[in-house]
Amino acid sequence: MAKMVLNKFDVACSQLDTAILLWFSEGDPVSIHTLACSAYQIIDDINHRNRGKELIYDSLVIKDEYRREYIAKIKADYNFFKHADKDANDNICFEPDNTPYFFLFSCLGLEMFGIKHKLPRMAFLAYFALLKPELLTEKGKNDYEIVEYDRSQILSNSKKEVYSNYCLAR
């Protein structure tokens, strides 16, 4: 394979898109989470350096005196998956349902930098809107106008089927 010239956003997008594709395919949750968090970390680092809007780690809804504890908690799984220097003999109780939030905030971070979403990210955002409509603002709800019948019908399919149908519809 030929050498590739990549910037940090190329790397983050590659990791994020691969994680999302694996997620839609019901792939290995540990690998998915590790890729998602790696992508998010790059985006968060660039965002922080550019003094961008808040993402997960610097959320304004967390009091400053609890921020370190909060960040440690949300990074615990990712750190466990990529290091063994302090906890080589430990176990962890991993919750894969938290991974989509790293997808979401990675997508939002990329949008802040004007990076257009490719198909995996677009499909995830549409699916997330169906899955968690209660989390959406009015603007978010208007961006994904789907009647309740369509929503329940779509969510009755596997994630793999949802992704395939989304791709066919595009």
Side-chain angles (χ1 to χ4, degrees):
M1 178 177 268
K3 289 183 180 178
M4 300 170 68
V5 177
L6 303 167
N7 65 37
K8 291 292 186 172
F9 284 121
D10 295 332
V11 173
C13 289
S14 177
Q15 291 172 333
L16 181 59
D17 290 343
T18 299
I20 290 171
L21 288 171
L22 285 169
W23 182 76
F24 272 118
S25 299
E26 303 287 347
D28 175 57
V30 171
S31 298
I32 294 166
H33 191 78
T34 304
L35 282 168
C37 290
S38 293
Y40 176 78
Q41 189 64 58
I42 291 170
I43 296 162
D44 186 69
D45 288 346
I46 295 170
N47 182 56
H48 184 71
R49 180 175 205 149
N50 287 292
R51 301 190 193 291
K53 291 182 181 177
E54 64 184 74
L55 292 174
I56 294 176
Y57 299 154
D58 49 354
S59 174
L60 294 177
V61 300
I62 304 298
K63 290 181 177 181
D64 285 338
E65 61 262 30
Y66 297 108
R67 187 166 312 283
R68 182 169 285 169
E69 177 184 340
Y70 162 75
I71 291 171
K73 178 132 177 80
I74 61 175
K75 282 186 168 184
D77 295 332
Y78 178 51
N79 286 332
F80 186 85
F81 297 159
K82 65 180 185 143
H83 300 294
D85 56 340
K86 297 175 186 164
D87 58 2
N89 295 317
D90 289 354
N91 295 313
I92 195 166
C93 183
F94 171 50
E95 180 53 64
D97 288 345
N98 292 330
T99 303
Y101 294 100
F102 284 93
F103 294 164
L104 177 64
F105 280 92
S106 293
C107 289
L108 295 174
L110 291 170
E111 286 176 10
M112 289 188 318
F113 287 100
I115 295 173
K116 300 268 186 212
H117 293 309
K118 290 189 177 177
L119 199 55
R121 284 174 261 145
M122 292 167 40
F124 167 75
L125 290 169
Y127 187 69
F128 189 83
L130 290 170
L131 213 55
K132 301 284 187 181
E134 68 277 8
L135 298 180
L136 299 178
T137 63
E138 286 307 311
K139 180 191 179 318
K141 289 176 184 173
N142 291 333
D143 287 350
Y144 300 103
E145 284 187 36
I146 298 169
V147 295
E148 192 61 32
Y149 169 78
D150 290 338
R151 180 178 176 273
S152 60
Q153 183 179 8
I154 291 167
L155 292 176
S156 70
N157 294 319
S158 70
K159 287 190 298 194
K160 191 172 191 171
E161 291 171 320
V162 170
Y163 184 75
S164 294
N165 291 336
Y166 185 87
C167 291
L168 289 173
R170 302 293 297 163

